[in-house]
Amino acid sequence: MPEGPSLLIAAEELSTALGKRVRAVSGNSTQPIETLKTQQLLEIGTHGKHLLLFFSNATLKIHFLMFGSYRVNEPKGNRTPRLALDFAKVQFYFYACSLQFLEGDANDLYDWREDVLSPAWDEDLALQKISALPNEMICDILMNQHIFAGVGNIIKNEVQFRMLLPPQKNVKELSQALRIKLIRITHDYCWNFYYWKKQFQLKKHWQIMRKKVCPRCNGPVTRKVTGYLKRLSHYCKRCQK
DNA sequence: ATAAATGTTAAGAA
DNA sequence: CTTCTTAACATTTA
């Protein structure tokens, strides 16, 4: 569940508890979650892969890492949640996630312009940041949460394929026009991801991720760990040049 | 059944 | 003091 668009969907699902007060708290978190008791949920936000719950007197940041999950009203029977919030008529359950209380104002901690799914998304800023890193590979640039907050490995691979560029290509090898195209395709793909995921049709639209055969040339798909970040890339050596 | 995978951080090593 | 590597965490799917 952890790429940016999924977080947006989570925020929507959880919005049923907006304005409600926490009646009971439990969970195996080591954070001071008890302090949430009696607090009112005022707002829900996201930044990239972070889910932000704004309470009357605290802001909780939830990161689902690789395996985190959540449920509304229906807990996973056999598992202890990291955090369970009981809002009387609505219950949230968060599993296998990282919890942290934000110190201070979220607006001072986050630059919303770097969140691909935010209304504040700023493609000119992204272009500046990319161009400042000429020696970085595309696969690392795409996963950089300070440039494309919310992009994960699936989005990375699909964007690389749609660009017909190999993951190892350096930024300096891309023209200005291609850099802009990269930014726009990433933004578009993130929104497609969001709509497909809502319809439970995300995997159906994967073109290269975990594929064996390139849908374009029917050649073999290469699987290789790439970049500084050492994440798995799926790509077609014939089509992505 | 074993491994790999939608991710990040912190400790340890160089 | 940096910079790089490794381990840790935790769950589902192939």
Side-chain angles (χ1 to χ4, degrees), chain A residues 47-67:
Chain A
H47 181 277
K49 299 167 189 168
H50 297 189
L51 177 65
L52 303 171
L53 303 185
F54 296 91
F55 292 93
S56 20
N57 212 12
T59 304
L60 182 64
K61 175 183 94 184
I62 301 175
H63 197 302
F64 291 98
L65 299 163
M66 194 88 97
F67 314 120

Side-chain angles (χ1 to χ4, degrees), chain A residues 1-8 46-50 63 65-66 113-118 121 126 130 137-161 163 182-194 209 229 231-233:
Chain A
M1 96 136 269
E3 298 194 29
S6 307
L7 272 287
L8 216 56
T46 62
H47 181 277
K49 299 167 189 168
H50 297 189
H63 197 302
L65 299 163
M66 194 88 97
R113 298 174 302 170
E114 64 191 25
D115 179 357
V116 185
L117 292 149
S118 164
W121 167 245
I130 289 174
M137 297 180 189
I138 294 174
C139 57
D140 288 329
I141 287 285
L142 282 170
M143 294 284 275
N144 185 325
Q145 298 301 300
H146 290 295
I147 304 177
F148 294 107
V151 170
N153 209 32
I154 297 172
I155 296 171
K156 176 195 84 178
N157 278 295
E158 293 295 318
V159 167
Q160 286 167 172
F161 181 73
M163 289 294 293
L182 178 72
I183 291 165
R184 296 204 173 139
I185 287 198
T186 303
H187 180 261
D188 283 359
Y189 186 77
C190 284
W191 281 106
N192 284 332
F193 186 122
Y194 167 81
M209 186 74 190
L229 295 170
R231 297 298 303 280
L232 187 61
S233 284

